[in-house]
Amino acid sequence: MYRQSGIISGLFCAAFIAGASYLVVPTVAGAGSCGSYPAAKVDWSGCIKKNLMMSGNDFQGANLSEADFSLTDLRNNNFTGANLHKARLIRAWFTGSTADGADFSRAEGYRAGLQNISAKNANFESTELQRANFGGSNLTGANFEKAELGRTTYDKADLTDVDFTLANLSRADLSKATFTKPPRFDRAFMFLTHIEGLDLSGAADLSQAQVDLACGDKGTKLPSGLQAPAMWPCGDD
C-alpha cells in the first residue's frame, strides 16, 4: 500500500512539475531578448532592467513594452519612436533624453525624472506619473489623455498643443510652463492645479468649474466667458 501510494505521489509530483513548466514556458518565450546590449530596435519587452546605469544609448524604435526600468539611470538616451507601453519607470531618470513620437501609454512612472527631455508628439495616454518632473522639457503635441499627473511639475516646459483631456492634474504646477498654443483641458480634473500667471485666453474646453478649483492669480488670463473666482482657493500647499 505504501509503495503504491509512493508511486501515485511520484506521478502526481511529476505531473505537477510538468504542468508548472508548461505555465512558465510561455512567459519566458514571450519575453524579449533580455541579454541583448542596448541598441536601436532592440526587443526588451517584459525584461527586468532595474537599478542600472544605462545612459547615452540608442533605443530608437526599440520594443521596451512592459519592461521594468525602476530606479534606472536612462539619461541622455535616444528613445525616438520607442515602445514603452506599460513599462515600469518608477523613480527612473530620463533627463536630457529624446523621446519624440515614443509610446509611454499606460506606463507607471511615479516620481520619474523627465527633465529637459524632448517628447514631441509622444503618447502618454493613461500613464501614472504622479510627482514626475517635466521641468524644461519640450512636450509639444504630446498626448496625456486620461493620465494620472497629480503633483507633476512643468517648470519652463513647452506645453504647446498638449492634450490633457480627462487627465488628473490635481496639484500639478503649470504656472511656469510656456506655450504658443494653449494645452487642451477638456474635462481634466484641476483641483488646486497651479495656473498662476498663465495666458489661457485661448485654451480650448476650459470650464468655469475647472477654474473655480484651480490656483490662479491676477496674472492668469482666462477665455472669454470665464471669470476668476472672488478668491482663488489656493494658499501655500
Side-chain angles (χ1 to χ4, degrees), residues 138-142 157-163 178-183:
N138 187 345
L139 303 172
T140 300
D158 189 342
L159 301 183
T160 297
D161 200 29
V162 166
D163 189 355
T178 64
F179 45 80
T180 56
K181 180 180 178 180

Side-chain angles (χ1 to χ4, degrees), residues 66-142:
E66 301 189 53
D68 190 347
F69 291 104
S70 299
L71 296 167
T72 289
D73 179 358
L74 296 166
R75 292 175 296 171
N76 301 311
N77 285 325
N78 182 8
F79 293 100
T80 302
N83 178 10
L84 292 110
H85 174 71
K86 297 181 74 173
R88 287 176 62 83
L89 312 172
I90 298 169
R91 294 179 183 267
W93 294 272
F94 286 81
T95 308
S97 291
T98 300
D100 297 336
D103 182 9
F104 291 89
S105 60
R106 300 185 66 185
E108 184 180 359
Y110 178 75
R111 285 190 182 274
L114 296 154
Q115 300 97 316
N116 300 310
I117 67 167
S118 178
K120 294 179 289 186
N121 299 309
N123 182 19
F124 292 92
E125 182 177 355
S126 299
T127 51
E128 295 187 20
L129 293 170
Q130 295 91 335
R131 293 182 182 269
N133 187 344
F134 285 98
S137 294
N138 187 345
L139 303 172
T140 300

Side-chain angles (χ1 to χ4, degrees), residues 161-178:
D161 200 29
V162 166
D163 189 355
F164 287 123
T165 297
L166 292 169
N168 178 7
L169 287 165
S170 58
R171 291 186 166 88
D173 191 350
L174 310 178
S175 63
K176 296 178 182 178
T178 64

Side-chain angles (χ1 to χ4, degrees), residues 201-224:
S201 56
D205 303 311
L206 190 65
S207 70
Q208 187 64 53
Q210 290 169 310
V211 171
D212 291 343
L213 287 174
C215 304
D217 61 12
K218 293 180 178 179
T220 304
K221 297 181 181 179
L222 301 173
S224 177

